[in-house]
Amino acid sequence: MTAKRATAEVIVMSSAEQATDEAAALFKQAISHAVADRRVCNVALAGGTTPHDLYQKLADDVYDCDVPWASVNVFFGDERDVPHDHVDSNYHMAQRALLDHAPIPPEQINPMPADAEDLAAAAAEYEQIIRRIVPGEPIPQFDLILLGMGGDGHTASLFPRTDALSESHKLVVSHHVPVLGRNRMTFTCLLINAARHVMFLITGEDKADAVAAVLGDDKRARKEIPAAQVNPSDGKLTIVLDAAAARKTDLKPATE
Ligand code: 6PG
């Protein structure tokens, strides 16, 4: 099923595997189109567990000749406060699943320094790297930002009831997340909503309530959900779901 919200294309697939395959196809398409149009693709990867299989699938197809990996600049939409070789690191997960297998020049891969001593300075420095590499004024415009969503509707490391959600100047912030008891570094909505294309990949029953709130018309409920603040002003928003995550909406899988 493909339905359009005012600003989103919502694609529902029967299974998590099919949703991952669909997201992988859209991911490759975004890279090819960006490089064809602008000779480079600036992409921000998501963390957590859902994208792991997507990255692995991209790695399996890495020699799919029409994906110009050598022209891709890789960034991270958020990162945990651990070293990049730590099992909880989003960079570590993406490196093992994809980046160690894709022919992307190492200098084009930009891990997020979320375990730095001075987190505010590290966030500001990461923002400067983005501003240096990713074109776009006044806000750099990523070709593709991949996002996941937690059961509470958080996305990247923008959690409900945190100040980072309403950040109106910075593009990258580091903040303490009370519900986790940990620090996180994250893109802000300013940067996410400047992207040409934002794609969510959301699977699993535990996301169904938050998905229903994001896609629903209850403005108060949506206000509480960070993922509902993602609305690229001049870009495309794609939400790829499996049937379990879409269970509390009226959307049915594409193959039904
Ligand atoms: C992170 C992610 C986060 C993730 C959601 C969903 O660092 O954890 O960036 O935003 O997308 O927490 O995580 P799962 O995919 O593990 O459900």
Side-chain angles (χ1 to χ4, degrees), residues 140-161:
Q141 196 175 30
F142 275 86
D143 295 294
L144 177 65
I145 296 179
L146 177 68
L147 293 173
M149 186 184 73
D152 61 357
H154 80 262
T155 189
S157 283
L158 298 167
F159 284 78
R161 296 174 298 285

Side-chain angles (χ1 to χ4, degrees), residues 180-197:
L180 302 176
R182 300 296 294 259
N183 294 320
R184 289 284 189 94
M185 190 175 288
T186 184
F187 281 13
T188 61
C189 288
L190 270 183
L191 183 54
I192 293 170
N193 286 334
R196 291 177 191 276
H197 189 182

